[in-house]
Amino acid sequence: MTRDDPRIEAYFSKSGRWQSELQALRSLLSETPLVEDFKWRSPCYTFDGANVATIWAMKEACGLSFFKGVLLKDPAGILTAPGDNSRSVRLFRFSSLEQLAPHRDTLKGYVLEAIGLEKAGAKVTFEKDDLAYPAELVDRLDADTALREAFEALTPGRRRGYLLHFTEPKQPATRTARIDRHADRILAGKGMHDR
């Protein structure tokens, strides 16, 4: 089922490098009980309101990612973490219809398994986050109680996103600039990518 959102059709009707591959993924997902929605500038597929999968067009490939992919069994070994800091999401990445075709039935099975996980209420449990707060953030939170309370009230994933972003630069001035740039978003209770 597709929600009545013009952004979905606009996404699939625009010309681009991966349009045939994205249409093939859409076709596969339409054969499942997932609902097609639009989030994070691309189609997102949900079950009973829970995010299950999303499709992506990237520079070098396109892919189908599973929000709780780490819980999928993946006997075919086709899912990978999309990045070094990915803890839950797993991605099937491909760059042609020929690469997708032999995995179509496997991916459909993974979608059905992911739906089963949602029905069962499965949760991804994370080990305690070992990310240290950079000194610049510690100083800023010590000086601004409202910012400290807002940062601590963020979901663990949003805090982690900010910490990864804030600790990435080597220069203290760049870390401070990033903290300054995102302070209003933190005070508003938003993550880095929230609108």
Side-chain angles (χ1 to χ4, degrees):
M1 180 169 95
T2 301
R3 294 207 186 275
D4 189 20
D5 188 331
R7 297 175 297 176
I8 296 171
E9 291 310 319
Y11 182 91
F12 286 109
S13 65
K14 69 182 176 186
S15 61
R17 183 172 179 192
W18 307 114
Q19 286 316 105
S20 296
E21 290 80 3
L22 295 174
Q23 286 287 0
L25 283 177
R26 185 184 198 194
S27 174
L28 181 154
L29 293 165
S30 73
E31 298 169 11
T32 72
L34 294 178
V35 173
E36 188 176 54
D37 207 337
F38 197 83
K39 302 178 182 184
W40 306 289
R41 297 185 301 264
S42 71
C44 179
Y45 297 84
T46 64
F47 183 79
D48 283 345
N51 297 328
V52 174
T54 190
I55 62 176
W56 295 102
M58 301 165 275
K59 279 185 186 176
E60 73 288 345
C62 55
L64 174 64
S65 66
F66 296 90
F67 285 88
K68 295 180 182 176
V70 72
L71 299 178
L72 296 174
K73 295 181 180 88
D74 190 22
I78 60 173
L79 302 179
T80 60
D84 293 340
N85 296 308
S86 299
R87 301 195 300 172
S88 179
V89 173
R90 291 297 176 263
L91 172 72
F92 172 71
R93 186 184 312 250
F94 66 104
S95 58
S96 71
L97 291 173
E98 292 76 24
Q99 288 178 333
L100 173 62
H103 301 293
R104 192 178 195 289
D105 291 341
T106 300
L107 288 171
K108 190 172 178 183
Y110 288 5
V111 170
L112 296 175
E113 181 184 351
I115 291 170
L117 291 169
E118 287 304 322
K119 286 180 179 177
K123 303 275 186 216
V124 176
T125 54
F126 299 109
E127 292 185 25
K128 181 154 174 44
D129 215 336
D130 58 352
L131 295 176
Y133 285 37
E136 297 79 9
L137 180 61
V138 171
D139 292 345
R140 180 70 182 269
L141 296 178
D142 286 346
D144 188 339
T145 305
L147 186 63
R148 172 180 291 285
E149 290 172 1
F151 191 78
E152 290 173 356
L154 292 172
T155 63
R158 287 186 173 109
R159 278 195 311 269
R160 180 177 174 78
Y162 280 122
L163 288 173
L164 290 168
H165 186 63
F166 295 159
T167 57
E168 183 182 43
K170 293 182 174 138
Q171 298 296 321
T174 307
R175 289 191 294 268
T176 299
R178 285 186 177 188
I179 294 164
D180 291 343
R181 186 169 44 250
H182 290 285
D184 288 342
R185 295 185 64 72
I186 293 168
L187 287 167
K190 294 182 177 181
M192 286 182 41
H193 305 293
D194 294 341
R195 290 187 180 229

